[in-house]
Amino acid sequence: MTRAPSKDRKPAAAPRRVMMLVYDDAQVLDIAGPVQLLTAALDPATGAPAYDVELVSQERGPVSTTSGLVFRIERSMADIAPAELAALDTFMVTGGHGSRAAMEDSALLDFVRRAARVSRRVVSICTGSLVLAAAGLLDRRRATTHWAYAPVMRQRFPKVVVEEDAIYVRDGKVWTSAGVTAGMDLALALIEEDLGREVALTLARHHVMYLMRPGGQSQFSAQLAAQRVENPRLARLCAWIVENPAADLSVPALAAQAAMSERSFARHFAAETGFTPAQFVERARLDEACRRLADGETSLDAVSADAGFGAAERMRRAFIRHLGVTPGRYRERFRTARRHLPPSLTEGSEHAHLHPDL
């Protein structure tokens, strides 16, 4: 007997169609990471899979990755009818060493242009952005890529506004991500835009991820920078700054500790660390604030004072400038990554937005 659908349950909407273009010598995580998150997401209104994801390549059959794992692709670019492209919600291009050859493949670039023209959203993972750039899709747009390839993008595609330190960048309908695991950060952002914050947050918890990773690709640390200083006097001073972020860390006070003139101190400090004294001090204070936010329930005002920022608004501006999030959001996101795995999927409604295969 066929059971009649519940009147309280909305009919399942068709899942959003996502197509990822892959090629030989792709990075396996550039493919598997975003695909895992997208296929695990369920529509919160219906409980049905939210995305229908397909991998395509230049030819049907095996596609190798740099790790040695092989994907078997069932359909090639030539198999995709124009009407199928027009029905795409999201078109994605993977990254990896194979992007170098993909950038020179005229048929592949033509397919990228056609898919990008009709899909609602265009996404690249890692060096997939170089393929988008070669297709002319990033001209006069902000974009990012793996940090090691940012100089290549900047030199070869001067019309692209390269944001070298970003985890991912959105410019209109085009999204680009930094290297490897940053593709998962971008996928969570896509899911949050489509299905809401709660769905993305639940997925982040299950995959032990930040909902939004704080910081950029460089992940600068004052403590690590201090360890690279060769001048013994400045090395001791840098270590003292890191340990005493709330002290008087003005240039006159630091120059006096180093027994140098202010001008000489500023010059030698920048030469040794690569940062001005003010830049180093701010990052040392930021490091301390991040630790305090992650470790306890201390108020933002108290954290700001203990870290040497003084007024909480000054700390807030530093967080936004360097990490792209407010102190409050940083604390929230850090806790998301540190929580234990949630209870069984059958317990409670928190897990209603995860694919049952998880």
Side-chain angles (χ1 to χ4, degrees):
M1 182 178 69
T2 301
R3 180 178 297 176
S6 170
K7 294 181 180 179
D8 296 330
R9 191 175 183 84
K10 296 181 179 179
R16 295 168 172 83
R17 290 207 59 220
V18 178
M19 181 176 291
M20 178 181 280
L21 178 63
V22 301
Y23 39 75
D24 282 326
D25 287 331
Q27 158 63 249
V28 66
L29 285 177
D30 289 353
I31 302 171
V35 169
Q36 167 61 33
L37 288 167
L38 292 170
T39 55
L42 300 182
D43 189 312
T46 65
Y51 300 97
D52 176 15
V53 184
E54 180 181 15
L55 304 183
V56 299
S57 188
Q58 293 104 314
E59 304 290 341
R60 302 177 205 166
V63 168
S64 63
T65 66
T66 52
S67 68
L69 294 177
V70 175
F71 288 89
R72 181 163 295 279
I73 306 303
E74 296 182 357
R75 297 206 298 166
S76 70
M77 298 184 306
D79 295 326
I80 310 302
E84 290 185 89
L85 285 183
L88 282 182
D89 177 85
T90 303
F91 177 69
M92 309 180 78
V93 178
T94 190
H97 296 326
S99 59
R100 299 170 185 171
M103 290 165 58
E104 310 299 334
D105 187 323
S106 59
L108 183 147
L109 295 180
D110 181 63
F111 181 79
V112 169
R113 293 186 193 99
R114 288 188 288 115
R117 193 160 45 242
V118 296
S119 61
R120 179 177 71 92
R121 189 164 56 191
V122 181
V123 174
S124 68
I125 310 300
C126 192
T127 54
S129 57
L130 295 172
V131 179
L132 295 188
L137 300 176
L138 300 184
D139 289 355
R140 294 174 293 279
R141 289 187 185 273
R142 296 163 45 248
T144 193
T145 190
H146 190 289
W147 60 267
Y149 288 86
V152 176
M153 176 177 278
R154 188 175 288 109
Q155 181 177 12
R156 180 157 179 179
F157 304 107
K159 293 183 180 180
V160 181
V161 182
V162 181
E163 297 199 1
E164 186 168 346
D165 195 45
I167 297 296
Y168 62 82
V169 171
R170 177 186 184 180
D171 190 327
K173 66 182 277 187
V174 180
W175 301 61
T176 55
S177 78
V180 196
T181 56
M184 298 181 72
D185 295 289
L186 186 151
L188 279 178
L190 301 179
I191 292 166
E192 182 174 11
E193 180 186 58
D194 294 342
L195 306 176
R197 178 177 174 79
E198 188 57 37
V199 177
L201 182 59
T202 301
L203 283 164
R205 287 174 179 164
H206 271 272
H207 291 83
V208 197
M209 294 175 61
Y210 290 104
L211 179 55
M212 178 184 287
R213 187 191 321 187
Q217 295 191 65
S218 63
Q219 301 292 312
F220 170 81
S221 164
Q223 189 167 6
L224 292 178
Q227 294 172 4
R228 295 194 296 267
V229 176
E230 296 182 359
N231 182 301
R233 191 189 314 178
L234 291 180
R236 287 193 297 271
L237 181 61
C238 286
W240 185 85
I241 291 171
V242 170
E243 294 169 1
N244 299 275
D248 179 2
L249 302 180
S250 63
V251 168
L254 294 175
Q257 279 208 53
M260 297 179 180
S261 70
E262 293 180 24
R263 179 176 295 182
S264 179
F265 167 72
R267 184 176 67 253
H268 283 89
F269 190 94
E272 284 283 338
T273 67
F275 301 94
T276 67
Q279 289 171 334
F280 186 91
V281 166
E282 183 168 73
R283 291 309 300 250
R285 287 171 169 165
L286 194 67
D287 286 351
E288 180 66 17
C290 287
R291 282 191 291 272
R292 291 180 177 272
L293 287 170
D295 289 342
E297 300 292 337
T298 310
S299 70
L300 295 183
D301 286 336
V303 169
S304 184
D306 292 343
F309 283 108
E313 179 57 28
R314 185 178 172 191
M315 179 176 73
R316 181 179 181 277
R317 290 196 299 269
F319 265 75
I320 292 174
R321 181 164 56 250
H322 293 289
L323 303 182
V325 293
T326 64
R329 292 295 294 276
Y330 178 90
R331 172 180 273 169
E332 176 186 345
R333 288 163 183 169
F334 190 91
R335 285 175 178 167
T336 296
R338 292 187 57 170
R339 285 177 181 169
H340 295 296
L341 287 175
S344 165
L345 299 181
T346 60
E347 297 176 12
S349 59
E350 177 189 6
H351 318 296
H353 313 315
L354 290 166
H355 196 282
D357 289 344
L358 274 180

